[in-house]
Amino acid sequence: NEENTDPQQGPNNKRAKTATSTNNDAAIQKLRKSLLRLAKRNLKFTYSGGPDKWRVEVPATSAEHFAALMGRPQDVALKTFVKKGAYYSEFANAHTFFQCDGKELVRFFSREGVGICIGEDITVKFKPSTMDLIVSGYGEIAM
């Protein structure tokens, strides 16, 4: 039995695991930021003048990324998540999911003089067969 001494390989190498987790953390933060940007872009008004519901779909998302977004990065097999039909569905707080304060959740419309804030409760769904991630919620008037 020879042990692998290459620092870039080997299952027992702490440096390789740390580099992978750091890269994964950076990827998750980048994904959170782009999900927030897309959610804010989808905030709009209905024809009656109230805020509309929003939905963001992300294809080709791994189960590892879904678990990390929901705050359980060690659960790659999704054992602690509840499966409803074809989807793993979870409710989350918008502030904790996007990891930002309330000011970053608002899209301001200067023409109308008001803004729409992402509602406090959002739904995050993951379909493992197609690897689709769906984040949806509602908007609230913010002035």
Side-chain angles (χ1 to χ4, degrees), residues 26-43 54-62 65-70 92 94 96-100 104-105 118 122-126 132-137:
I28 295 301
Q29 289 302 327
K30 189 174 182 180
L31 181 59
R32 279 186 205 280
K33 189 174 182 179
S34 49
L35 283 171
L36 177 60
R37 187 171 13 99
L38 289 170
K40 285 173 68 172
R41 187 179 295 164
N42 285 336
L43 289 173
W54 58 271
R55 178 181 170 125
V56 175
E57 296 183 25
V58 182
T61 305
S62 68
H65 284 145
F66 170 69
L69 282 171
M70 297 310 296
T96 56
F97 181 79
F98 293 118
Q99 293 183 349
C100 62
E104 295 179 62
L105 296 176
I118 293 175
I122 61 172
T123 305
V124 183
K125 293 182 179 181
F126 177 69
D132 288 335
L133 177 73
I134 301 168
V135 183
S136 60

Side-chain angles (χ1 to χ4, degrees), residues 2-20:
E2 290 183 26
E3 275 195 43
N4 190 355
T5 58
D6 186 6
Q8 298 299 322
Q9 298 177 8
N12 296 328
N13 189 326
K14 290 181 183 178
R15 189 186 305 169
K17 287 181 183 179
T18 305
T20 305

Side-chain angles (χ1 to χ4, degrees), residues 103-124:
K103 293 177 186 177
E104 295 179 62
L105 296 176
V106 178
R107 178 179 178 190
F108 187 73
F109 297 89
S110 58
R111 185 172 148 200
E112 285 86 4
V114 298
I116 300 178
C117 178
I118 293 175
E120 199 170 298
D121 301 319
I122 61 172
T123 305
V124 183

